[in-house]
Amino acid sequence: MNKKKKILEVSNVSHSFQPMSENSNLVLDGINFHVCDREVISILGKSGSGKSTLLRIISGLIIPDFGTVTLGDKKVLGPNPQINMVFQTFAIYPWLTVYQNIAFGLQAQNYSQETIDNQVNKMLHLISLEKYRNAYPRELSGGMRQRVGFARALAVEPELLLLDEPFSSLDIYTGENLRSDLMRIWSTRQIKTRAMVMVTHSVDEAVMMSDRIILLGSKPGTITGNYEITTPRENRTKQAMHDLIEEIGEELSDQIAASV
Ligand SMILES: Nc1ncnc2c1ncn2[C@@H]1O[C@H](COP(=O)(O)OP(=O)(O)OP(=O)(O)O)[C@@H](O)[C@H]1O
């Protein structure tokens, strides 16, 4: 049997903010899932269900109260170069040029200048930013700024790429262009990244991009649904995926209605 290798394991993760206070807020409760080699997973859930908190725990930015996150055979105990994140609000340095922003993570890892140049040039080419290499973020549109966010996160070729609503600040056309560029880079294996986990509010986006979708219920956040998508990405039109989009949309609407 062709069993896929696990890249990421989230085991029994629970987390509260202000656990010692009277206002203790259990956000995540006993979260278990894994991500295999070459898998793209999306996490959907209503606002406040804990999606971003879960992504930050996976990245090592937050240490959970209980449970573990394991990447390969190593526990995630803090931020590390094997995991990188693209944020909704771009998170690029305004005082650095496009080139310098993309080089930033590579410089922090003490690569030689030649390696940095090669890797930044590769990213500028892959993400269609060559014309803007010396521009500052203020000179770029939102779409171009988010391209820099992607190029910077991918430059270190992390094993795991986390995406926190990466297209939601962009207009539909710009978001779709960037999404299809990302999926082209991913499916043609032009980066060494082995898995992606994305948080999104868009059922369409999740269905078009992912191999699996996880639904997170709220208060506290527990996994309430798991959808495997086997239709090849190139065959996923809105029409072909209509039934699944409806099913997940209805499930989410029911969760929102139940919590009002
Ligand atoms: N640093 C923090 N301190 C206290 N509470 C927090 C903190 N970060 C998040 N929370 C709370 O945890 C809960 C989950 O937040 P989180 O941002 O993870 O949800 P989300 O599903 O990503 O929401 P959205 O879809 O609106 O971005 C919310 O009730 C939020 O107010």
Side-chain angles (χ1 to χ4, degrees):
M1 195 170 78
N2 183 15
K3 209 163 173 251
K4 276 188 157 184
K5 191 177 172 201
K6 275 186 202 171
I7 296 290
L8 176 79
E9 178 104 53
V10 175
S11 299
N12 219 9
V13 161
S14 298
H15 192 68
S16 305
F17 289 103
Q18 296 127 9
M20 306 309 279
S21 81
E22 280 177 17
N23 304 322
S24 167
N25 173 12
L26 182 59
V27 174
L28 298 170
D29 188 14
I31 301 289
N32 288 293
F33 70 95
H34 66 267
V35 183
C36 291
D37 204 7
R38 298 294 305 161
E39 255 194 323
V40 180
I41 305 276
S42 286
I43 302 171
L44 284 167
K46 71 181 273 266
S47 247
S49 55
K51 303 179 295 296
S52 295
T53 304
L54 180 55
L55 222 53
R56 279 166 173 71
I57 287 173
I58 294 171
S59 74
L61 287 169
I62 298 177
I63 300 300
D65 297 340
F66 294 101
T68 54
V69 175
T70 311
L71 183 73
D73 54 7
K74 289 206 179 77
K75 281 203 177 129
V76 175
L77 300 171
N80 68 83
Q82 280 77 46
I83 306 176
N84 225 343
M85 176 121 90
V86 177
F87 297 89
Q88 179 184 9
T89 48
F90 315 151
I92 53 176
Y93 299 121
W95 58 88
L96 299 180
T97 63
V98 167
Y99 180 100
Q100 290 165 336
N101 263 291
I102 301 171
F104 191 84
L106 296 159
Q107 282 160 343
Q109 287 184 52
N110 293 324
Y111 286 110
S112 70
Q113 192 52 48
E114 190 188 354
T115 307
I116 293 174
D117 273 342
N118 288 341
Q119 195 61 9
V120 175
N121 285 331
K122 175 179 168 183
M123 289 303 138
L124 288 168
H125 175 68
L126 275 182
I127 319 271
S128 305
L129 281 168
E130 279 149 319
K131 277 198 294 192
Y132 303 94
R133 61 187 295 133
N134 296 317
Y136 284 91
R138 65 174 178 275
E139 300 172 275
L140 304 176
S141 64
M144 282 299 164
R145 273 186 233 162
Q146 189 58 310
R147 280 183 185 268
V148 180
F150 270 96
R152 196 176 72 177
L154 288 172
V156 293
E157 304 210 18
E159 286 199 26
L160 177 67
L161 183 67
L162 303 175
L163 306 158
D164 195 356
E165 298 187 48
F167 310 109
S168 64
S169 303
L170 309 177
D171 64 68
I172 292 177
Y173 175 75
T174 308
E176 267 181 24
N177 268 341
L178 185 49
R179 197 174 72 199
S180 77
D181 280 359
L182 174 68
M183 295 319 285
R184 174 183 45 79
I185 293 165
W186 169 255
S187 38
T188 51
R189 300 187 182 223
Q190 295 185 70
I191 43 168
K192 294 193 192 98
T193 297
R194 295 170 70 177
M196 299 198 280
V197 178
M198 177 171 77
V199 160
T200 177
H201 280 282
S202 164
V203 179
D204 290 23
E205 190 170 283
V207 167
M208 294 303 166
M209 286 177 68
S210 318
D211 299 298
R212 199 148 43 90
I213 294 176
I214 289 170
L215 281 197
L216 203 59
S218 61
K219 294 203 175 28
T222 51
I223 292 179
T224 56
N226 217 313
Y227 300 83
E228 192 96 31
I229 308 176
T230 50
T231 310
R233 279 198 188 84
E234 59 276 18
N235 298 343
R236 291 186 204 176
T237 58
K238 275 209 176 163
Q239 205 178 6
M241 305 312 288
H242 175 269
D243 290 356
L244 182 62
I245 292 171
E246 287 271 292
E247 185 185 338
I248 298 174
E250 275 171 24
E251 184 61 41
L252 273 173
S253 303
D254 288 350
Q255 285 188 8
I256 292 166
S259 64
V260 174

